[in-house]
Amino acid sequence: MNGSRIAAVGHYQPAKVLTNEDLAGMVDTSDEWIRSRVGITTRHIAGPDEPVDELAAHAAAKALAAAGLTPADIDLVLVATSTAVDRSPNTGARVASRLGVPRAATMDLNVVCAGFTHALATADHAVRAGGASRALVVGADKMSDVTDWSDRTTCVLVGDGAGAAVVEAADEPGIGPVLWGSVPEMGNAVRIEGTPPRFAQEGQSVYRWATTQLPPIARRACERAGLEPADLAAVVLHQANLRIIEPLAEKIGAVNAVVARDVTESGNTSAASIPLALSKLVEQGAVATGDPVLLFGFGGNLSYAGQVVRCP
């Protein structure tokens, strides 16, 4: 085998929907204020009895079913998350337990909003190196657990959810080379820290960095896949803020691509945002099997990772 591919995707969101009007009853904000600044209208919020590994397992089960596989077919479980409450067992192990995956290697990756694309690259490397045959790659976060609901600058942004992909060996590469990195000296611009942990960010710094520094990096990810941005069928960026997504997509030059805008109905779900948005595009038929799609995560740690994949 010369590469790996995404065989199927799946996603899950909690039933509870929190609207802008709901938030206006909690903090000094309004629907107009939120829409004009971040483009979000609704977000899904998990209940106290819905831990992040449960969200992850629901999405993973859907991806497995879509791939026509059983839990016994999986030998690697990678979960990208920054909101797991417990250190051990890790979230990957708990997802494997919930699904009944036997004997798989399990691990978590904490690269916050760029977590899924880091995890996808790690699975691709493991499969191509022969360390795994089929991997479950999940991005899952319960941002409501780390949010100060009295802070209108952050509570309007977040949502909970999970997205998953099944990665397997392939004769032709379906996951392009990753382009990843970070800006450690600016890592404090996005934080989840303290006791209890709370999400905070320097919004203007993140906006400037994302809209000015990231477009050429995303274009280089396309180059590594042997494509021009105009060849892309879709662009799935981290769903941080519509005011970041739209100018970033435009500056990449993907003039013929569908641009995922799931942030409007899901909010910022951190590591879940890219697989969640990709799964919805597939479900809606907005992209066809084999179409080239740029996935590009960025944010916490001021890390980034992007690759072009072929749509399952």
Side-chain angles (χ1 to χ4, degrees):
M1 295 294 180
N2 297 316
S4 74
R5 71 182 186 105
I6 296 177
V9 290
H11 68 275
Y12 175 78
Q13 292 178 281
K16 180 182 178 181
V17 175
L18 189 69
T19 68
N20 291 348
E21 289 80 6
D22 294 331
L23 282 168
M26 298 163 55
V27 293
D28 180 17
T29 191
S30 68
D31 177 61
E32 188 280 330
W33 190 92
I34 297 169
R35 286 175 185 259
S36 64
R37 285 162 176 79
V38 296
I40 298 169
T41 59
T42 58
R43 66 286 290 148
H44 292 250
I45 303 296
D49 59 343
E50 295 177 281
V52 70
D53 59 282
E54 181 176 331
L55 308 182
H58 283 309
K62 290 183 177 181
L64 266 179
L69 299 173
T70 69
D73 295 317
I74 300 298
D75 51 12
L76 174 62
V77 179
L78 297 176
V79 178
T81 186
S82 57
T83 55
V85 174
D86 300 319
R87 296 177 184 270
S88 182
N90 65 29
T91 309
R94 285 185 164 159
V95 169
S97 177
R98 284 183 180 273
L99 297 178
V101 178
R103 299 176 300 278
T106 64
M107 65 187 82
D108 294 357
L109 290 84
N110 179 1
V111 201
V112 201
C113 308
F116 179 78
T117 43
H118 276 80
L120 184 64
T122 302
D124 170 53
H125 298 163
V127 169
R128 287 194 291 111
S133 57
R134 290 190 179 95
L136 264 178
V137 184
V138 188
D141 269 309
K142 188 178 178 182
M143 291 299 292
S144 61
D145 269 356
V146 296
T147 296
D148 178 354
W149 290 97
S150 66
D151 177 10
R152 75 167 188 168
T153 65
T154 55
C155 75
V156 302
L157 299 173
V158 302
D160 301 333
V166 174
V167 173
E168 63 182 10
D171 291 328
E172 296 295 329
I175 299 176
V178 68
L179 183 60
W180 53 12
S182 66
V183 188
E185 64 272 21
M186 293 180 65
N188 282 336
V190 182
R191 307 178 300 281
I192 300 176
E193 60 186 10
T195 306
R198 287 291 175 259
F199 163 55
Q201 68 173 2
E202 298 168 11
Q204 287 303 311
S205 296
V206 174
Y207 175 82
R208 286 193 297 271
W209 173 71
T211 56
T212 62
Q213 302 303 308
L214 294 185
I217 296 172
R219 288 194 293 270
R220 283 167 52 205
C222 295
E223 290 172 8
R224 287 195 174 187
L227 294 171
E228 294 293 329
D231 298 329
L232 295 170
V235 173
V236 185
L237 306 172
H238 166 49
Q239 302 292 293
N241 178 332
L242 201 59
R243 290 180 60 237
I244 292 176
I245 293 167
E246 291 181 335
L248 178 52
E250 182 179 349
K251 290 178 181 179
I252 290 171
V255 293
N256 300 310
V258 173
V259 177
R261 292 178 172 86
D262 184 53
V263 67
T264 60
E265 63 181 52
S266 300
N268 181 343
T269 56
S270 192
S273 77
I274 287 176
L276 182 59
L278 174 62
S279 180
K280 287 185 179 182
L281 289 182
V282 172
E283 185 176 75
Q284 295 160 4
V287 283
T289 300
D291 279 351
V293 180
L294 173 66
L295 309 181
F296 195 75
F298 57 89
N301 317 309
L302 285 205
S303 295
Y304 54 84
Q307 62 269 96
V308 175
V309 304
R310 293 289 170 175
C311 183

